[in-house]
Short mmCIF file of all heavy atoms in Angstrom, two decimals:
data_model
loop_
_atom_site.label_atom_id
_atom_site.label_comp_id
_atom_site.label_asym_id
_atom_site.label_seq_id
_atom_site.Cartn_x
_atom_site.Cartn_y
_atom_site.Cartn_z
N ILE A 1182 -23.69 6.23 -19.84
CA ILE A 1182 -24.48 5.17 -20.44
C ILE A 1182 -23.70 4.53 -21.60
O ILE A 1182 -23.66 3.30 -21.77
CB ILE A 1182 -25.84 5.74 -20.93
CG1 ILE A 1182 -26.71 6.08 -19.71
CG2 ILE A 1182 -26.59 4.71 -21.77
CD1 ILE A 1182 -27.93 6.91 -20.03
N GLU A 1183 -23.07 5.37 -22.41
CA GLU A 1183 -22.28 4.85 -23.56
C GLU A 1183 -21.15 3.97 -23.03
O GLU A 1183 -20.92 2.86 -23.60
CB GLU A 1183 -21.76 6.03 -24.38
CG GLU A 1183 -22.76 6.75 -25.16
CD GLU A 1183 -22.22 8.04 -25.84
OE1 GLU A 1183 -21.09 8.47 -25.46
OE2 GLU A 1183 -22.90 8.57 -26.72
N ALA A 1184 -20.42 4.47 -22.01
CA ALA A 1184 -19.28 3.70 -21.50
C ALA A 1184 -19.76 2.39 -20.85
O ALA A 1184 -19.10 1.35 -21.01
CB ALA A 1184 -18.54 4.53 -20.46
N PHE A 1185 -20.88 2.40 -20.19
CA PHE A 1185 -21.41 1.19 -19.58
C PHE A 1185 -21.78 0.14 -20.66
O PHE A 1185 -21.45 -1.03 -20.53
CB PHE A 1185 -22.61 1.49 -18.70
CG PHE A 1185 -23.27 0.26 -18.15
CD1 PHE A 1185 -22.68 -0.48 -17.17
CD2 PHE A 1185 -24.50 -0.16 -18.67
CE1 PHE A 1185 -23.26 -1.65 -16.67
CE2 PHE A 1185 -25.09 -1.31 -18.18
CZ PHE A 1185 -24.48 -2.02 -17.19
N ARG A 1186 -22.43 0.61 -21.72
CA ARG A 1186 -22.82 -0.29 -22.76
C ARG A 1186 -21.61 -0.94 -23.48
O ARG A 1186 -21.64 -2.09 -23.87
CB ARG A 1186 -23.71 0.42 -23.78
CG ARG A 1186 -25.13 0.65 -23.27
CD ARG A 1186 -25.92 1.55 -24.19
NE ARG A 1186 -27.34 1.60 -23.72
CZ ARG A 1186 -28.22 2.53 -24.08
NH1 ARG A 1186 -27.82 3.48 -24.95
NH2 ARG A 1186 -29.44 2.50 -23.65
N GLN A 1187 -20.52 -0.16 -23.55
CA GLN A 1187 -19.31 -0.68 -24.19
C GLN A 1187 -18.53 -1.65 -23.26
O GLN A 1187 -17.92 -2.59 -23.73
CB GLN A 1187 -18.42 0.48 -24.58
CG GLN A 1187 -18.95 1.32 -25.71
CD GLN A 1187 -18.20 2.62 -25.91
OE1 GLN A 1187 -17.18 2.86 -25.26
NE2 GLN A 1187 -18.70 3.44 -26.84
N THR A 1188 -18.54 -1.38 -21.96
CA THR A 1188 -17.63 -2.11 -21.03
C THR A 1188 -18.33 -3.02 -20.04
O THR A 1188 -17.73 -3.94 -19.51
CB THR A 1188 -16.81 -1.10 -20.20
OG1 THR A 1188 -17.70 -0.40 -19.30
CG2 THR A 1188 -16.08 -0.11 -21.08
N GLN A 1189 -19.61 -2.74 -19.77
CA GLN A 1189 -20.39 -3.49 -18.71
C GLN A 1189 -19.70 -3.39 -17.38
O GLN A 1189 -19.84 -4.26 -16.52
CB GLN A 1189 -20.59 -4.95 -19.11
CG GLN A 1189 -21.46 -5.13 -20.35
CD GLN A 1189 -22.88 -4.64 -20.15
OE1 GLN A 1189 -23.59 -5.13 -19.24
NE2 GLN A 1189 -23.29 -3.68 -20.95
N ALA A 1190 -18.95 -2.32 -17.18
CA ALA A 1190 -18.25 -2.12 -15.89
C ALA A 1190 -19.27 -1.96 -14.75
O ALA A 1190 -20.32 -1.38 -14.93
CB ALA A 1190 -17.36 -0.87 -15.97
N LYS A 1191 -18.94 -2.41 -13.57
CA LYS A 1191 -19.78 -2.28 -12.39
C LYS A 1191 -19.59 -0.92 -11.72
O LYS A 1191 -20.53 -0.44 -11.03
CB LYS A 1191 -19.46 -3.39 -11.36
CG LYS A 1191 -19.62 -4.78 -11.87
CD LYS A 1191 -21.05 -5.10 -12.33
CE LYS A 1191 -21.20 -6.56 -12.71
NZ LYS A 1191 -22.54 -6.81 -13.29
N LEU A 1192 -18.48 -0.28 -11.93
CA LEU A 1192 -18.19 1.04 -11.36
C LEU A 1192 -17.57 1.89 -12.43
O LEU A 1192 -16.58 1.53 -13.06
CB LEU A 1192 -17.27 0.93 -10.14
CG LEU A 1192 -16.73 2.26 -9.58
CD1 LEU A 1192 -17.85 3.03 -8.89
CD2 LEU A 1192 -15.61 2.03 -8.61
N LEU A 1193 -18.17 3.04 -12.64
CA LEU A 1193 -17.59 4.02 -13.60
C LEU A 1193 -17.37 5.35 -12.89
O LEU A 1193 -18.21 5.79 -12.10
CB LEU A 1193 -18.53 4.22 -14.79
CG LEU A 1193 -18.95 2.96 -15.55
CD1 LEU A 1193 -20.33 2.53 -15.06
CD2 LEU A 1193 -19.02 3.20 -17.06
N PHE A 1194 -16.23 5.96 -13.14
CA PHE A 1194 -15.92 7.24 -12.50
C PHE A 1194 -15.13 8.10 -13.48
O PHE A 1194 -14.64 7.61 -14.49
CB PHE A 1194 -15.12 7.03 -11.20
CG PHE A 1194 -13.73 6.49 -11.40
CD1 PHE A 1194 -12.63 7.34 -11.35
CD2 PHE A 1194 -13.51 5.16 -11.61
CE1 PHE A 1194 -11.35 6.85 -11.57
CE2 PHE A 1194 -12.25 4.61 -11.82
CZ PHE A 1194 -11.17 5.51 -11.74
N SER A 1195 -15.01 9.39 -13.16
CA SER A 1195 -14.41 10.29 -14.12
C SER A 1195 -13.57 11.35 -13.38
O SER A 1195 -13.35 11.28 -12.19
CB SER A 1195 -15.51 11.04 -14.93
OG SER A 1195 -16.18 11.95 -14.05
N ASP A 1196 -13.08 12.31 -14.19
CA ASP A 1196 -12.43 13.47 -13.62
C ASP A 1196 -13.45 14.49 -13.24
O ASP A 1196 -14.66 14.35 -13.53
CB ASP A 1196 -11.44 14.03 -14.62
CG ASP A 1196 -10.13 13.25 -14.66
OD1 ASP A 1196 -9.64 12.87 -13.62
OD2 ASP A 1196 -9.59 13.02 -15.77
N ALA A 1197 -12.98 15.59 -12.65
CA ALA A 1197 -13.88 16.67 -12.22
C ALA A 1197 -13.22 17.99 -12.26
O ALA A 1197 -11.98 18.07 -12.17
CB ALA A 1197 -14.38 16.38 -10.79
N ILE A 1198 -14.00 19.01 -12.43
CA ILE A 1198 -13.58 20.40 -12.19
C ILE A 1198 -13.77 20.64 -10.73
O ILE A 1198 -14.85 20.44 -10.22
CB ILE A 1198 -14.40 21.42 -13.04
CG1 ILE A 1198 -14.21 21.13 -14.54
CG2 ILE A 1198 -14.00 22.86 -12.68
CD1 ILE A 1198 -15.21 21.90 -15.39
N THR A 1199 -12.75 21.08 -10.04
CA THR A 1199 -12.89 21.35 -8.59
C THR A 1199 -12.92 22.82 -8.32
O THR A 1199 -12.15 23.61 -8.93
CB THR A 1199 -11.77 20.66 -7.80
OG1 THR A 1199 -10.54 21.14 -8.23
CG2 THR A 1199 -11.78 19.13 -8.02
N ILE A 1200 -13.73 23.23 -7.36
CA ILE A 1200 -13.86 24.63 -6.96
C ILE A 1200 -13.62 24.71 -5.44
O ILE A 1200 -14.26 23.93 -4.69
CB ILE A 1200 -15.21 25.22 -7.34
CG1 ILE A 1200 -15.42 25.15 -8.87
CG2 ILE A 1200 -15.35 26.63 -6.82
CD1 ILE A 1200 -16.76 25.62 -9.30
N SER A 1201 -12.80 25.60 -5.00
CA SER A 1201 -12.54 25.78 -3.59
C SER A 1201 -13.69 26.52 -2.91
O SER A 1201 -14.57 27.08 -3.60
CB SER A 1201 -11.22 26.49 -3.32
OG SER A 1201 -11.28 27.78 -3.86
N SER A 1202 -13.63 26.62 -1.59
CA SER A 1202 -14.74 27.24 -0.84
C SER A 1202 -14.89 28.72 -1.16
O SER A 1202 -15.99 29.29 -0.98
CB SER A 1202 -14.54 27.07 0.65
OG SER A 1202 -13.24 27.60 1.01
N ASP A 1203 -13.83 29.39 -1.65
CA ASP A 1203 -13.93 30.81 -1.98
C ASP A 1203 -14.24 31.06 -3.44
O ASP A 1203 -14.20 32.20 -3.93
CB ASP A 1203 -12.62 31.54 -1.60
CG ASP A 1203 -11.42 31.05 -2.38
OD1 ASP A 1203 -11.59 30.17 -3.25
OD2 ASP A 1203 -10.28 31.51 -2.09
N GLY A 1204 -14.59 30.03 -4.15
CA GLY A 1204 -14.99 30.12 -5.57
C GLY A 1204 -13.90 30.09 -6.57
O GLY A 1204 -14.17 30.14 -7.78
N THR A 1205 -12.67 30.02 -6.11
CA THR A 1205 -11.53 29.91 -7.04
C THR A 1205 -11.32 28.49 -7.47
O THR A 1205 -11.93 27.58 -6.90
CB THR A 1205 -10.25 30.47 -6.38
OG1 THR A 1205 -9.98 29.72 -5.21
CG2 THR A 1205 -10.44 31.95 -6.02
N ALA A 1206 -10.42 28.30 -8.42
CA ALA A 1206 -10.15 26.97 -8.93
C ALA A 1206 -9.58 26.07 -7.80
O ALA A 1206 -8.74 26.56 -7.01
CB ALA A 1206 -9.16 27.00 -10.09
N GLY A 1207 -10.09 24.86 -7.74
CA GLY A 1207 -9.55 23.95 -6.69
C GLY A 1207 -8.38 23.20 -7.15
O GLY A 1207 -7.71 23.55 -8.14
N SER A 1208 -8.06 22.13 -6.44
CA SER A 1208 -6.84 21.35 -6.77
C SER A 1208 -7.24 20.04 -7.46
O SER A 1208 -8.42 19.70 -7.58
CB SER A 1208 -6.11 20.99 -5.44
OG SER A 1208 -6.86 20.02 -4.73
N ASP A 1209 -6.23 19.34 -7.95
CA ASP A 1209 -6.47 18.07 -8.57
C ASP A 1209 -5.92 16.97 -7.61
O ASP A 1209 -5.52 15.88 -8.05
CB ASP A 1209 -5.82 17.95 -9.94
CG ASP A 1209 -4.32 18.09 -9.92
OD1 ASP A 1209 -3.76 18.40 -8.82
OD2 ASP A 1209 -3.66 17.86 -10.95
N ALA A 1210 -5.97 17.25 -6.32
CA ALA A 1210 -5.42 16.31 -5.32
C ALA A 1210 -6.12 14.94 -5.40
O ALA A 1210 -5.55 13.92 -5.06
CB ALA A 1210 -5.50 16.89 -3.93
N TYR A 1211 -7.39 14.98 -5.81
CA TYR A 1211 -8.17 13.73 -5.88
C TYR A 1211 -7.50 12.74 -6.79
O TYR A 1211 -7.70 11.50 -6.65
CB TYR A 1211 -9.58 13.99 -6.29
CG TYR A 1211 -9.77 14.40 -7.74
CD1 TYR A 1211 -9.92 13.39 -8.71
CD2 TYR A 1211 -9.78 15.71 -8.14
CE1 TYR A 1211 -10.06 13.71 -10.06
CE2 TYR A 1211 -9.93 16.05 -9.47
CZ TYR A 1211 -10.05 15.05 -10.43
OH TYR A 1211 -10.17 15.35 -11.76
N ARG A 1212 -6.72 13.21 -7.76
CA ARG A 1212 -6.12 12.31 -8.72
C ARG A 1212 -5.00 11.46 -8.12
O ARG A 1212 -4.41 10.58 -8.80
CB ARG A 1212 -5.59 13.07 -9.95
CG ARG A 1212 -6.72 13.62 -10.83
CD ARG A 1212 -6.17 14.21 -12.11
NE ARG A 1212 -5.35 13.20 -12.80
CZ ARG A 1212 -5.87 12.27 -13.59
NH1 ARG A 1212 -7.17 12.15 -13.79
NH2 ARG A 1212 -5.06 11.43 -14.23
N ARG A 1213 -4.65 11.72 -6.87
CA ARG A 1213 -3.63 10.86 -6.20
C ARG A 1213 -4.28 9.55 -5.74
O ARG A 1213 -3.56 8.65 -5.35
CB ARG A 1213 -3.05 11.60 -4.99
CG ARG A 1213 -2.26 12.85 -5.32
CD ARG A 1213 -1.33 13.26 -4.15
NE ARG A 1213 -2.12 13.71 -3.03
CZ ARG A 1213 -2.35 15.03 -2.76
NH1 ARG A 1213 -1.90 15.95 -3.55
NH2 ARG A 1213 -3.08 15.39 -1.69
N ALA A 1214 -5.60 9.46 -5.84
CA ALA A 1214 -6.30 8.26 -5.38
C ALA A 1214 -5.87 7.10 -6.29
O ALA A 1214 -5.49 7.27 -7.46
CB ALA A 1214 -7.77 8.44 -5.49
N LEU A 1215 -5.96 5.91 -5.74
CA LEU A 1215 -5.40 4.68 -6.35
C LEU A 1215 -5.92 4.42 -7.78
O LEU A 1215 -5.13 4.13 -8.68
CB LEU A 1215 -5.69 3.46 -5.45
CG LEU A 1215 -5.19 2.13 -5.98
CD1 LEU A 1215 -3.66 2.12 -6.03
CD2 LEU A 1215 -5.70 1.00 -5.10
N PHE A 1216 -7.24 4.51 -7.97
CA PHE A 1216 -7.79 4.07 -9.24
C PHE A 1216 -7.42 4.97 -10.42
O PHE A 1216 -7.70 4.63 -11.59
CB PHE A 1216 -9.31 3.95 -9.15
CG PHE A 1216 -9.75 2.77 -8.32
CD1 PHE A 1216 -11.12 2.62 -7.99
CD2 PHE A 1216 -8.87 1.80 -7.90
CE1 PHE A 1216 -11.54 1.50 -7.23
CE2 PHE A 1216 -9.27 0.72 -7.12
CZ PHE A 1216 -10.63 0.60 -6.80
N TYR A 1217 -6.87 6.13 -10.15
CA TYR A 1217 -6.38 7.01 -11.26
C TYR A 1217 -5.02 6.46 -11.75
O TYR A 1217 -4.47 7.02 -12.72
CB TYR A 1217 -6.33 8.45 -10.81
CG TYR A 1217 -7.69 9.06 -10.60
CD1 TYR A 1217 -8.26 9.07 -9.30
CD2 TYR A 1217 -8.45 9.53 -11.67
CE1 TYR A 1217 -9.54 9.57 -9.12
CE2 TYR A 1217 -9.71 10.04 -11.46
CZ TYR A 1217 -10.26 10.07 -10.18
OH TYR A 1217 -11.52 10.55 -10.01
N ARG A 1218 -4.47 5.43 -11.08
CA ARG A 1218 -3.20 4.85 -11.51
C ARG A 1218 -3.34 3.37 -11.82
O ARG A 1218 -2.82 2.92 -12.85
CB ARG A 1218 -2.15 5.00 -10.37
CG ARG A 1218 -1.90 6.42 -9.90
CD ARG A 1218 -0.68 6.44 -8.97
NE ARG A 1218 -0.74 5.46 -7.88
CZ ARG A 1218 -1.42 5.68 -6.77
NH1 ARG A 1218 -2.09 6.77 -6.55
NH2 ARG A 1218 -1.38 4.71 -5.83
N GLU A 1219 -4.00 2.61 -10.98
CA GLU A 1219 -4.08 1.17 -11.22
C GLU A 1219 -5.30 0.60 -10.41
O GLU A 1219 -5.83 1.25 -9.57
CB GLU A 1219 -2.81 0.48 -10.77
CG GLU A 1219 -2.49 0.70 -9.29
CD GLU A 1219 -1.20 -0.04 -8.90
OE1 GLU A 1219 -1.16 -1.26 -9.10
OE2 GLU A 1219 -0.27 0.63 -8.41
N TYR A 1220 -5.59 -0.66 -10.72
CA TYR A 1220 -6.70 -1.36 -10.09
C TYR A 1220 -6.23 -2.63 -9.33
O TYR A 1220 -6.80 -3.69 -9.42
CB TYR A 1220 -7.76 -1.78 -11.10
CG TYR A 1220 -8.29 -0.62 -11.96
CD1 TYR A 1220 -8.66 -0.85 -13.25
CD2 TYR A 1220 -8.44 0.66 -11.42
CE1 TYR A 1220 -9.13 0.19 -14.07
CE2 TYR A 1220 -8.94 1.67 -12.20
CZ TYR A 1220 -9.27 1.44 -13.51
OH TYR A 1220 -9.75 2.51 -14.31
N SER A 1221 -5.18 -2.48 -8.56
CA SER A 1221 -4.61 -3.61 -7.81
C SER A 1221 -5.56 -3.99 -6.66
O SER A 1221 -5.88 -3.16 -5.83
CB SER A 1221 -3.24 -3.20 -7.23
OG SER A 1221 -2.88 -4.11 -6.20
N ARG A 1222 -5.92 -5.26 -6.60
CA ARG A 1222 -6.78 -5.73 -5.52
C ARG A 1222 -6.11 -5.52 -4.14
O ARG A 1222 -6.74 -5.07 -3.19
CB ARG A 1222 -7.10 -7.24 -5.67
CG ARG A 1222 -8.24 -7.56 -6.62
CD ARG A 1222 -8.50 -9.01 -6.62
NE ARG A 1222 -9.54 -9.38 -7.55
CZ ARG A 1222 -9.93 -10.62 -7.80
NH1 ARG A 1222 -9.36 -11.63 -7.13
NH2 ARG A 1222 -10.87 -10.85 -8.65
N GLN A 1223 -4.87 -5.93 -4.06
CA GLN A 1223 -4.22 -5.89 -2.78
C GLN A 1223 -4.03 -4.45 -2.27
O GLN A 1223 -4.21 -4.18 -1.09
CB GLN A 1223 -2.83 -6.64 -2.83
CG GLN A 1223 -2.32 -6.90 -1.42
CD GLN A 1223 -1.41 -8.13 -1.39
OE1 GLN A 1223 -1.42 -8.96 -2.32
NE2 GLN A 1223 -0.66 -8.30 -0.34
N GLU A 1224 -3.66 -3.53 -3.17
CA GLU A 1224 -3.53 -2.15 -2.77
C GLU A 1224 -4.89 -1.55 -2.44
O GLU A 1224 -5.02 -0.77 -1.50
CB GLU A 1224 -2.85 -1.34 -3.88
CG GLU A 1224 -1.36 -1.61 -4.02
CD GLU A 1224 -0.64 -0.53 -4.81
OE1 GLU A 1224 -0.94 0.67 -4.57
OE2 GLU A 1224 0.23 -0.86 -5.63
N ALA A 1225 -5.91 -1.92 -3.22
CA ALA A 1225 -7.24 -1.36 -2.94
C ALA A 1225 -7.77 -1.88 -1.60
O ALA A 1225 -8.50 -1.17 -0.94
CB ALA A 1225 -8.20 -1.81 -4.07
#
C-alpha cells in the first residue's frame, strides 16, 4: 500500500523466501526473470 501510494504503479512485485518440497531452503532461480533486471517492452 505504501509503495502504491508513492508510485501509483499498476503492478507491484517483490522478492520471496523459497522453500523446496522437502522443507529445505529453495533456490533464487526466480530472480532470472526479466523484471528483476529491466522493463524492456520488446523483451517482455
Side-chain angles (χ1 to χ4, degrees):
I1182 292 169
E1183 290 173 345
F1185 174 73
R1186 285 173 173 161
Q1187 291 169 4
T1188 67
Q1189 294 298 299
K1191 301 299 184 185
L1192 171 70
L1193 305 98
F1194 67 100
S1195 70
D1196 280 319
I1198 299 169
T1199 60
I1200 299 176
S1201 64
S1202 57
D1203 62 4
T1205 59
S1208 72
D1209 63 353
Y1211 71 87
R1212 289 188 56 82
R1213 294 198 293 263
L1215 179 65
F1216 288 171
Y1217 292 94
R1218 303 189 310 277
E1219 60 178 303
Y1220 305 145
S1221 162
R1222 278 185 183 176
Q1223 194 152 345
E1224 287 197 42

